[in-house]
Amino acid sequence: MPPPTKKVRSMVPDITIVVGSGERQKTFKCFKSELVFASEHFDAMLSESMRNEKDIPRVEFLEDDPEEWSFVYTFINPKTIRGARITESNIYKLIPWFHKLQMSHLLNECDYIFCNFLIPSGGCDHTFWEEVTTSNSINSDSRRSCLDALLNILTLSNKYSLTRTGEKVVSAISVALKVASSIICFEDIKKLREYLKISPHNSEQLWNELKIYLPDAIVSSTEGSMMKLVESDLFAHIVFSEVTIRGLEIKRKNEMQLMEQERERMKKAMAEVLQFPNLIYQHIPSHKVRGESMDAKARSVMKKIIYISCKDNEWIHVPSNWCRGDD
């Protein structure tokens, strides 16, 4: 069990933190020593060259939420730091604060949690993104929702320097670009473009995936420079056009595959149906029905049923004379 914390009575708060504006604004009395040890931001702000010894420093966060600061301070205050936990429910509120206050050790912890627990589980699975497979019943809405989540996390990782999270999300999106082009929209390409512009050194995999959609003449004209192409206003339009074309090609191929699978399934089913009368005849005595044997009558009825059911099916040939009969 950790030793109990002790408040030193000779120390008094020596810095004022103001958070929020208007009626929701709150003032917090804190200790500079706690803030400096926890935050590079406060360490730089309160360094010897920047502070005025005559006044108690005052730091304002007028655009932020006082309740959020109260929670963030639990990761700074020695009395509460042991019990402070980053969870799935609070991580989105904590990341902007940890980034702004340059609390790198906690930001790295957020990066680890996101990378290992909060990225959609199917995102890096090739079979998840395949639009048509015999064993995959995931619909396009599920893929679209997953892609939206990945793009939001990518934006977050870009903004707050979550390196490992960004790399894993890029891997997942690269897979989606390869096999699920039909769900990609223009806004998706614009978001990917922003990532390339902000993090060119961490986006080689994504760049290589997007580059295949660009005409060779454009790539060669810029001597392979990623940033020259990304900065061009035409980049997103060209990539989206090519992604759309690929998506349509994949969709057509998948539809043809489905048709072929359905054709084979129907042929197999009909082969079994056509054998059904023979199974009946083996168990029915050859009694006469209006001058016609029972097995002949059964055969005639079954042929007519098959003809009525399948006459319009282009994949199955049913003899036209099977339609005769009074039954």
Side-chain angles (χ1 to χ4, degrees):
M1 179 181 293
T5 58
K6 178 182 178 181
K7 181 178 180 180
V8 180
R9 288 189 291 271
S10 61
M11 293 181 62
V12 295
D14 53 2
I15 186 171
T16 300
I17 306 294
V18 181
V19 187
S21 59
E23 295 180 356
R24 300 185 67 251
Q25 187 178 88
K26 289 187 178 181
T27 300
F28 301 87
K29 301 294 184 180
C30 303
F31 295 91
K32 287 185 290 187
S33 58
E34 295 176 354
L35 299 175
V36 166
F37 275 110
S39 162
E40 291 291 334
H41 173 79
F42 282 115
D43 189 21
M45 179 184 294
L46 302 174
S47 64
E48 190 69 29
S49 60
M50 296 179 63
R51 67 184 181 180
N52 186 344
E53 294 286 358
K54 295 180 180 180
D55 302 316
I56 296 178
R58 175 187 174 95
V59 179
E60 297 180 341
F61 298 108
L62 302 181
E63 302 296 325
D64 294 301
D65 186 339
E67 297 302 322
E68 290 183 4
W69 167 257
S70 296
F71 183 56
V72 170
Y73 193 63
T74 64
F75 291 86
I76 297 175
N77 188 345
K79 292 183 179 181
T80 57
I81 193 171
R82 290 186 179 89
R85 295 288 183 272
I86 302 172
T87 66
E88 295 181 15
S89 61
N90 63 35
I91 192 170
Y92 284 94
K93 293 181 178 179
L94 291 173
I95 286 176
W97 280 101
F98 292 159
H99 183 264
K100 175 163 51 181
L101 300 180
Q102 299 176 41
M103 301 171 73
S104 57
H105 61 295
L106 292 173
L107 196 61
N108 287 336
E109 186 175 342
C110 291
D111 192 10
Y112 175 83
I113 292 173
F114 246 114
C115 185
N116 291 280
F117 302 108
L118 297 183
I119 294 178
S121 57
C124 295
D125 185 357
H126 192 283
T127 58
F128 173 85
W129 295 108
E130 290 178 345
E131 301 191 7
V132 177
T133 64
T134 54
S135 61
N136 187 9
S137 60
I138 303 171
N139 59 40
S140 59
D141 290 340
S142 298
R143 296 185 184 87
R144 183 63 247 182
S145 296
C146 182
L147 183 60
D148 287 338
L150 290 171
L151 289 168
N152 289 336
I153 295 174
L154 183 65
T155 300
L156 189 78
S157 67
N158 234 353
K159 187 175 182 179
Y160 299 116
S161 305
L162 306 178
T163 306
R164 287 178 293 184
T165 299
E167 291 175 352
K168 190 169 183 179
V169 170
V170 165
S171 296
I173 292 175
S174 296
V175 175
L177 285 169
K178 289 180 180 178
V179 296
S181 305
S182 64
I183 67 170
I184 306 295
C185 67
F186 185 64
E187 292 301 316
D188 300 337
I189 303 299
K190 289 172 64 177
K191 290 179 181 179
L192 296 179
R193 178 193 179 189
E194 290 305 309
Y195 179 78
L196 293 173
K197 290 169 64 177
I198 296 173
S199 305
H201 302 296
N202 300 323
S203 54
E204 182 177 355
Q205 182 180 5
L206 179 61
W207 166 243
N208 289 334
E209 191 59 42
L210 290 174
K211 188 170 63 174
I212 64 176
Y213 297 104
L214 297 171
D216 293 337
I218 294 180
V219 176
S220 60
S221 66
T222 56
E223 299 179 352
S225 171
M226 178 182 74
M227 291 311 301
K228 287 182 180 179
L229 285 171
V230 172
E231 292 292 343
S232 169
D233 293 335
L234 291 175
F235 174 84
H237 294 278
I238 294 173
V239 171
F240 177 65
S241 299
E242 294 299 321
V243 168
T244 301
I245 292 172
R246 173 183 278 200
L248 292 173
E249 291 175 346
I250 291 176
K251 185 175 181 180
R252 179 176 176 274
K253 180 180 178 181
N254 289 335
E255 287 177 349
M256 292 179 64
Q257 180 182 350
L258 271 182
M259 290 176 63
E260 183 63 29
Q261 292 173 354
E262 182 67 12
R263 183 182 292 110
E264 293 301 319
R265 187 187 68 80
M266 289 294 294
K267 285 182 177 179
K268 182 178 179 181
M270 282 308 305
E272 295 175 355
V273 169
L274 293 173
Q275 291 299 318
F276 184 68
N278 295 331
L279 299 176
I280 294 178
Y281 307 149
Q282 295 174 13
H283 299 89
I284 297 179
S286 297
H287 297 301
K288 295 287 184 178
V289 178
R290 297 180 185 176
E292 188 178 11
S293 66
M294 180 70 78
D295 59 343
K297 174 61 71 174
R299 183 184 295 274
S300 175
V301 171
M302 181 58 69
K303 285 181 177 181
K304 188 171 183 179
I305 291 173
I306 293 173
Y307 177 82
I308 294 172
S309 301
C310 304
K311 63 180 180 178
D312 296 325
N313 194 314
E314 62 181 279
W315 300 334
I316 301 170
H317 172 69
V318 181
S320 59
N321 60 0
W322 282 19
C323 68
R324 292 197 295 269
D326 299 326
D327 299 275

